[in-house]
Coordinates of all heavy atoms in Angstrom, one line a residue:
L19 N -14.8 34.6 11.0 CA -14.5 33.5 10.1 C -13.1 33.6 9.5 O -12.4 32.6 9.5 CB -15.5 33.6 8.9 CG -15.4 32.5 7.8 CD1 -15.6 31.1 8.4 CD2 -16.3 32.8 6.7
V20 N -12.6 34.8 9.2 CA -11.3 35.0 8.7 C -10.3 34.6 9.8 O -9.3 34.0 9.5 CB -11.1 36.5 8.2 CG1 -9.6 36.8 7.9 CG2 -11.9 36.7 7.0
V21 N -10.5 35.1 11.0 CA -9.5 34.8 12.1 C -9.5 33.3 12.3 O -8.4 32.7 12.5 CB -9.9 35.5 13.4 CG1 -9.1 35.0 14.5 CG2 -9.7 37.0 13.2
T22 N -10.6 32.6 12.3 CA -10.7 31.2 12.5 C -9.9 30.4 11.4 O -9.1 29.5 11.7 CB -12.1 30.7 12.5 OG1 -12.8 31.3 13.5 CG2 -12.2 29.2 12.7
I23 N -10.1 30.8 10.1 CA -9.4 30.2 9.0 C -7.9 30.4 9.2 O -7.1 29.5 9.0 CB -9.9 30.7 7.7 CG1 -11.3 30.2 7.4 CG2 -9.0 30.3 6.5 CD1 -12.0 30.9 6.2
V24 N -7.4 31.6 9.5 CA -6.0 31.9 9.6 C -5.4 31.1 10.8 O -4.3 30.5 10.7 CB -5.8 33.4 9.8 CG1 -4.4 33.7 10.3 CG2 -6.1 34.2 8.6
F25 N -6.2 31.0 11.9 CA -5.7 30.3 13.1 C -5.4 28.8 12.7 O -4.4 28.2 13.0 CB -6.7 30.4 14.2 CG -6.3 29.6 15.4 CD1 -5.3 30.0 16.3 CD2 -7.0 28.4 15.7 CE1 -4.9 29.2 17.4 CE2 -6.6 27.6 16.8 CZ -5.6 28.0 17.6
F26 N -6.4 28.1 12.1 CA -6.3 26.7 11.8 C -5.2 26.5 10.7 O -4.5 25.5 10.6 CB -7.6 26.1 11.4 CG -8.5 25.8 12.6 CD1 -9.6 26.6 12.8 CD2 -8.1 24.8 13.5 CE1 -10.4 26.4 13.9 CE2 -8.9 24.6 14.6 CZ -10.0 25.4 14.8
S27 N -5.1 27.4 9.8 CA -4.1 27.3 8.7 C -2.7 27.4 9.4 O -1.8 26.6 9.0 CB -4.2 28.4 7.7 OG -5.4 28.3 7.0
C28 N -2.5 28.2 10.3 CA -1.2 28.3 11.0 C -0.9 27.0 11.7 O 0.3 26.6 11.7 CB -1.2 29.5 12.0 SG -1.2 31.1 11.2
N29 N -1.8 26.5 12.4 CA -1.6 25.2 13.1 C -1.2 24.1 12.2 O -0.3 23.3 12.4 CB -2.8 24.8 13.9 CG -3.0 25.6 15.2 OD1 -2.1 26.2 15.6 ND2 -4.2 25.5 15.8
K30 N -1.8 24.0 11.0 CA -1.5 23.0 10.0 C -0.1 23.2 9.5 O 0.7 22.3 9.3 CB -2.5 23.0 8.9 CG -2.4 21.9 7.9 CD -3.5 21.9 6.9 CE -3.3 20.7 6.0 NZ -4.4 20.5 5.1
D31 N 0.3 24.5 9.3 CA 1.6 24.8 8.8 C 2.7 24.4 9.9 O 3.7 23.9 9.5 CB 1.8 26.3 8.5 CG 1.0 26.7 7.3 OD1 0.6 25.9 6.5 OD2 0.7 28.0 7.1
E32 N 2.4 24.6 11.1 CA 3.3 24.2 12.2 C 3.5 22.7 12.2 O 4.6 22.2 12.3 CB 2.8 24.7 13.6 CG 2.9 26.2 13.8 CD 2.3 26.6 15.1 OE1 2.0 25.7 15.9 OE2 2.1 27.8 15.3
D33 N 2.4 21.9 12.1 CA 2.4 20.5 12.0 C 3.3 20.0 10.8 O 4.1 19.1 11.0 CB 1.0 19.8 11.9 CG 0.2 20.0 13.2 OD1 0.8 20.4 14.2 OD2 -1.0 19.9 13.1
T34 N 3.1 20.6 9.7 CA 3.8 20.3 8.5 C 5.3 20.6 8.7 O 6.2 19.8 8.3 CB 3.3 21.0 7.3 OG1 1.9 20.7 7.1 CG2 4.0 20.7 6.0
A35 N 5.6 21.7 9.3 CA 7.0 22.1 9.6 C 7.7 21.1 10.5 O 8.8 20.7 10.3 CB 7.1 23.5 10.2
I36 N 7.0 20.6 11.5 CA 7.5 19.6 12.4 C 7.9 18.4 11.7 O 9.0 17.8 11.8 CB 6.6 19.4 13.6 CG1 6.5 20.6 14.5 CG2 7.0 18.1 14.4 CD1 5.4 20.5 15.6
L37 N 6.9 17.9 10.9 CA 7.2 16.7 10.1 C 8.3 16.8 9.1 O 9.1 15.9 8.9 CB 5.9 16.2 9.4 CG 4.8 15.7 10.3 CD1 3.6 15.4 9.5 CD2 5.3 14.4 11.0
Q38 N 8.4 18.0 8.5 CA 9.5 18.2 7.5 C 10.9 18.3 8.2 O 11.8 17.8 7.7 CB 9.2 19.5 6.7 CG 8.1 19.3 5.7 CD 7.8 20.7 5.0 OE1 8.2 21.7 5.5 NE2 7.0 20.6 4.0
S39 N 10.9 18.9 9.4 CA 12.2 19.0 10.1 C 12.5 17.7 10.8 O 13.7 17.5 11.1 CB 12.2 20.2 11.1 OG 11.2 19.9 12.1
N40 N 11.6 16.9 11.1 CA 11.8 15.6 11.8 C 11.1 14.5 11.1 O 10.0 14.1 11.5 CB 11.3 15.7 13.3 CG 12.1 16.7 14.0 OD1 13.3 16.7 14.2 ND2 11.4 17.8 14.5
P41 N 11.6 13.9 10.0 CA 10.9 12.9 9.3 C 10.6 11.7 10.0 O 9.8 10.9 9.6 CB 11.8 12.7 8.0 CG 13.2 13.1 8.5 CD 12.9 14.2 9.5
V42 N 11.2 11.5 11.2 CA 11.0 10.2 11.9 C 9.7 10.2 12.6 O 9.2 9.2 13.0 CB 12.2 10.0 12.9 CG1 12.1 10.9 14.1 CG2 12.3 8.5 13.3
I43 N 9.1 11.4 12.8 CA 7.8 11.5 13.6 C 6.7 10.7 12.8 O 6.5 10.9 11.6 CB 7.4 13.0 13.8 CG1 8.4 13.7 14.7 CG2 6.0 13.1 14.3 CD1 8.2 15.1 14.9
G44 N 6.1 9.9 13.6 CA 5.0 9.1 13.0 C 5.0 7.7 13.6 O 5.8 7.3 14.5
T45 N 4.2 6.8 13.0 CA 4.1 5.4 13.4 C 4.7 4.6 12.3 O 4.4 4.7 11.1 CB 2.6 5.0 13.6 OG1 2.1 5.8 14.7 CG2 2.5 3.6 14.0
W46 N 5.6 3.6 12.7 CA 6.3 2.8 11.7 C 6.2 1.3 12.1 O 6.4 1.0 13.2 CB 7.8 3.2 11.7 CG 8.1 4.7 11.5 CD1 8.0 5.7 12.4 CD2 8.4 5.3 10.2 NE1 8.3 6.9 11.8 CE2 8.5 6.7 10.4 CE3 8.6 4.8 8.9 CZ2 8.9 7.5 9.4 CZ3 8.9 5.7 7.9 CH2 9.0 7.0 8.2
K47 N 6.0 0.5 11.1 CA 5.9 -1.0 11.3 C 7.0 -1.7 10.6 O 7.4 -1.3 9.4 CB 4.6 -1.5 10.9 CG 3.5 -1.2 11.9 CD 2.4 -2.3 11.9 CE 1.3 -1.9 12.8 NZ 1.3 -2.7 14.0
L48 N 7.6 -2.7 11.2 CA 8.6 -3.5 10.5 C 8.0 -4.2 9.3 O 6.9 -4.8 9.4 CB 9.1 -4.6 11.5 CG 10.2 -5.5 11.0 CD1 11.5 -4.7 10.7 CD2 10.5 -6.6 12.0
V49 N 8.6 -4.1 8.2 CA 8.1 -4.8 6.9 C 9.2 -5.8 6.4 O 8.8 -6.7 5.7 CB 7.7 -3.8 5.9 CG1 6.5 -3.0 6.3 CG2 8.8 -2.8 5.5
E50 N 10.4 -5.6 6.6 CA 11.5 -6.4 6.1 C 12.7 -6.5 7.0 O 12.9 -5.5 7.8 CB 12.0 -5.9 4.7 CG 11.0 -6.0 3.6 CD 11.5 -5.3 2.3 OE1 12.5 -4.5 2.4 OE2 11.0 -5.7 1.3
E51 N 13.4 -7.6 7.0 CA 14.6 -7.8 7.7 C 15.6 -8.5 6.8 O 15.2 -9.5 6.1 CB 14.4 -8.6 9.0 CG 15.6 -8.8 9.8 CD 15.4 -9.7 11.0 OE1 14.3 -9.6 11.6 OE2 16.3 -10.4 11.4
Y52 N 16.8 -8.1 6.9 CA 17.9 -8.8 6.1 C 19.0 -9.2 7.1 O 19.3 -8.5 8.1 CB 18.5 -7.8 5.1 CG 17.4 -7.4 4.0 CD1 16.6 -6.4 4.3 CD2 17.3 -8.2 2.8 CE1 15.6 -6.0 3.3 CE2 16.4 -7.8 1.9 CZ 15.6 -6.7 2.1 OH 14.6 -6.4 1.2
S53 N 19.6 -10.3 6.8 CA 20.8 -10.8 7.5 C 21.9 -11.0 6.4 O 21.8 -11.8 5.5 CB 20.5 -12.1 8.2 OG 21.7 -12.5 8.9
N54 N 23.0 -10.1 6.5 CA 24.0 -10.1 5.5 C 23.4 -10.0 4.1 O 23.7 -10.8 3.2 CB 24.9 -11.3 5.6 CG 25.9 -11.2 6.7 OD1 26.1 -10.1 7.3 ND2 26.5 -12.3 7.1
N55 N 22.5 -9.1 3.9 CA 21.8 -8.8 2.6 C 20.9 -9.9 2.1 O 20.4 -9.9 1.0 CB 22.8 -8.4 1.5 CG 23.5 -7.1 1.8 OD1 22.9 -6.2 2.3 ND2 24.8 -7.0 1.6
Q56 N 20.6 -10.9 3.0 CA 19.7 -12.0 2.6 C 18.4 -11.7 3.3 O 18.4 -11.6 4.6 CB 20.3 -13.4 3.0 CG 21.5 -13.7 2.3 CD 21.3 -14.0 0.8 OE1 20.4 -14.7 0.4 NE2 22.2 -13.3 0.0
L57 N 17.3 -11.7 2.6 CA 16.0 -11.5 3.2 C 15.6 -12.6 4.2 O 15.8 -13.8 3.9 CB 14.9 -11.4 2.1 CG 13.5 -11.1 2.5 CD1 13.4 -9.7 3.1 CD2 12.5 -11.2 1.3
V58 N 15.2 -12.2 5.4 CA 14.7 -13.1 6.4 C 13.2 -13.2 6.4 O 12.5 -12.2 6.2 CB 15.2 -12.6 7.8 CG1 14.7 -13.4 8.9 CG2 16.7 -12.5 7.9
T59 N 12.7 -14.4 6.5 CA 11.2 -14.6 6.5 C 10.7 -14.2 7.9 O 11.2 -14.7 8.9 CB 10.9 -16.1 6.2 OG1 11.4 -16.4 5.0 CG2 9.4 -16.3 6.2
L60 N 9.7 -13.3 7.9 CA 9.1 -12.8 9.1 C 7.7 -13.4 9.3 O 7.0 -13.6 8.3 CB 9.1 -11.3 9.2 CG 10.4 -10.5 9.0 CD1 10.1 -9.1 8.9 CD2 11.3 -10.9 10.1

């Protein structure tokens, strides 16, 4: 049980470290667009 908990905790720490070092990782959707600082209707 202790080894299993430590193993999964390490994996979670690695995932968190990757996200912290590379904040772009993930899924992103377009929500706004501007043209010369004027909001464009999407």
Side-chain angles (χ1 to χ4, degrees):
L19 181 63
V20 168
V21 169
T22 302
I23 290 171
V24 168
F25 176 76
F26 284 109
S27 295
C28 289
N29 284 343
K30 188 173 184 178
D31 291 343
E32 287 174 13
D33 293 343
T34 302
I36 289 170
L37 288 175
Q38 288 174 347
S39 66
N40 297 299
V42 77
I43 292 175
T45 300
W46 305 83
K47 285 209 182 254
L48 181 67
V49 292
E50 294 175 338
E51 177 184 328
Y52 296 85
S53 181
N54 283 346
N55 293 320
Q56 298 292 313
L57 185 64
V58 174
T59 303
L60 303 175

